Amino acid sequence: MTSQPHSGINDLGKPVILGIPFDANSSWLRGSAGAPPIIRVAFRSDSGNMWTETGVDLGAAGAYLDAGDLKFHFQQAFTVIEDKVGELLDRGLRPVCLGGDHSITLPVVRAFGKRIPGLTIIHFDAHPDLYDELEGNRLSHACPFARIMEEGCAKRLIQVGIRTINGHQREQAAKFGVEVIEMRHLPALDKMKVDGSVYISFDMDVLDPAFVPGISHREPGGMSVREALAHLQAITGHIAGADIVEFNPAQDSSQLTATVAAKLLKEVLGKMILD
Ligand code: MN
Ligand code: MN
């Protein structure tokens, strides 16, 4: 059901979905590599219509593009991901990547950083993912934002919903100038107002596991779906791209998490189409 777009001039600026079925840098449970096709099914389900809350009809012909799911061997994964995202950006499109574990955000944002100076990342997560390394793996899904800041891929990193920060990651946040908005300090709608190009990285475990059992790291005390949507909808600036990661279908007993991921995808696409 994917249309491989040969985008023309009329497609400039459109969002394009890209599935990234990769979970080899997960530190606890595998399974998130299976997420992209399941999110697509929930996204297109006849249980609801294709309109966003903000009045965008995603069912209209050509509202968004879909580049399908990437294929790669483990060893080449990060190169293939960065190259493909770069190709989509070079065609004037705005990639919305479906993970996969959170490690994929590093090659994705590398492609953005090489093309879009002064990027602001708004990162929704229970975890800061700022470890220098975890279990000897510097590419772990616990580390992508340390690498992103070291490599200068973004100007600002704003993290929201954090509730597992430890001493090491607090030091890392201070070292990189990360703006950490902890879960206990929400709501923070005013802090979603930023200028310039914005990349949204949405780790599903920012949500309370009561809403999304299908995640690898269930961290209680998280956002409701409504709180997440409110913070997403409050973001200003130009949304250059986004990802939705860490949905683990193997943990999702009722397909509820797939439905939530699809809802978030809808609202992110709608936001990109409106700005
Ligand atoms: Mn994460
Ligand atoms: Mn997380």
Side-chain angles (χ1 to χ4, degrees):
M1 272 289 288
T2 59
S3 56
Q4 287 293 337
H6 296 281
S7 53
I9 191 79
N10 293 333
D11 289 327
L12 280 177
K14 280 188 183 175
V16 55
I17 296 171
L18 177 67
I20 305 182
F22 181 86
D23 62 10
N25 283 321
S26 300
S27 59
W28 175 239
L29 299 176
R30 302 285 284 265
S32 63
I38 295 172
I39 298 174
R40 287 165 200 282
V41 169
F43 179 68
R44 298 195 180 100
S45 167
D46 289 334
S47 75
N49 65 45
M50 292 300 285
W51 288 74
T52 69
E53 293 186 356
T54 51
V56 175
D57 180 11
L58 295 171
Y64 64 92
L65 304 175
D66 191 333
D69 294 343
L70 274 182
K71 291 186 176 61
F72 39 66
H73 294 294
F74 167 72
Q75 303 291 351
Q76 285 85 37
F78 274 27
T79 306
V80 173
I81 294 166
E82 183 181 339
D83 288 353
K84 181 64 181 184
V85 171
E87 177 202 319
L88 295 171
L89 287 170
D90 289 342
R91 285 159 54 187
L93 303 175
R94 294 194 275 171
V96 178
C97 299
L98 306 179
D101 71 39
H102 218 154
S103 72
I104 65 144
T105 300
L106 173 58
V108 171
V109 170
R110 276 176 175 155
F112 277 79
K114 286 174 183 169
R115 292 163 177 84
I116 302 174
L119 191 67
T120 294
I121 300 175
I122 300 185
H123 166 206
F124 292 79
D125 207 324
H127 314 93
D129 294 350
L130 284 168
Y131 278 95
D132 184 53
E133 56 87 22
L134 194 72
E135 296 161 352
N137 183 6
R138 289 172 60 80
L139 300 178
S140 165
H141 70 159
C143 306
F145 293 95
R147 300 292 88 75
I148 283 167
M149 297 312 280
E150 282 168 359
E151 295 180 18
C153 303
K155 182 185 71 175
R156 286 181 77 186
L157 173 58
I158 301 168
Q159 301 187 316
V160 58
I162 304 298
R163 55 191 185 277
T164 62
I165 194 163
N166 59 8
H168 167 65
Q169 292 194 95
R170 225 175 261 288
E171 286 170 15
Q172 291 281 88
K175 175 177 158 190
F176 297 127
V178 182
E179 298 158 64
V180 182
I181 305 166
E182 295 185 41
M183 187 68 214
R184 64 199 167 109
H185 295 140
L186 293 191
L189 298 173
D190 283 349
K191 295 188 175 166
M192 301 294 101
K193 292 186 180 133
V194 295
D195 297 320
S197 295
V198 179
Y199 181 89
I200 299 170
S201 185
F202 195 99
D203 182 326
M204 292 292 289
D205 69 32
V206 76
L207 297 164
D208 194 278
F211 297 92
V212 290
I215 49 177
S216 297
H217 300 263
R218 292 175 178 161
E219 187 64 38
M223 286 189 194
S224 67
V225 178
R226 189 74 260 157
E227 286 173 307
L229 290 170
H231 284 81
L232 276 173
Q233 289 169 353
I235 295 171
T236 58
H238 174 74
I239 314 299
D243 63 56
I244 298 173
V245 297
E246 296 284 346
F247 163 38
N248 185 343
Q251 293 279 89
D252 198 16
S253 53
S254 63
Q255 301 175 332
L256 175 61
T257 312
T259 307
V260 174
K263 169 89 175 177
L264 293 162
L265 173 61
K266 254 186 202 175
E267 294 303 319
V268 167
L269 290 173
K271 185 164 185 62
M272 293 169 86
I273 290 166
L274 281 177
D275 86 7

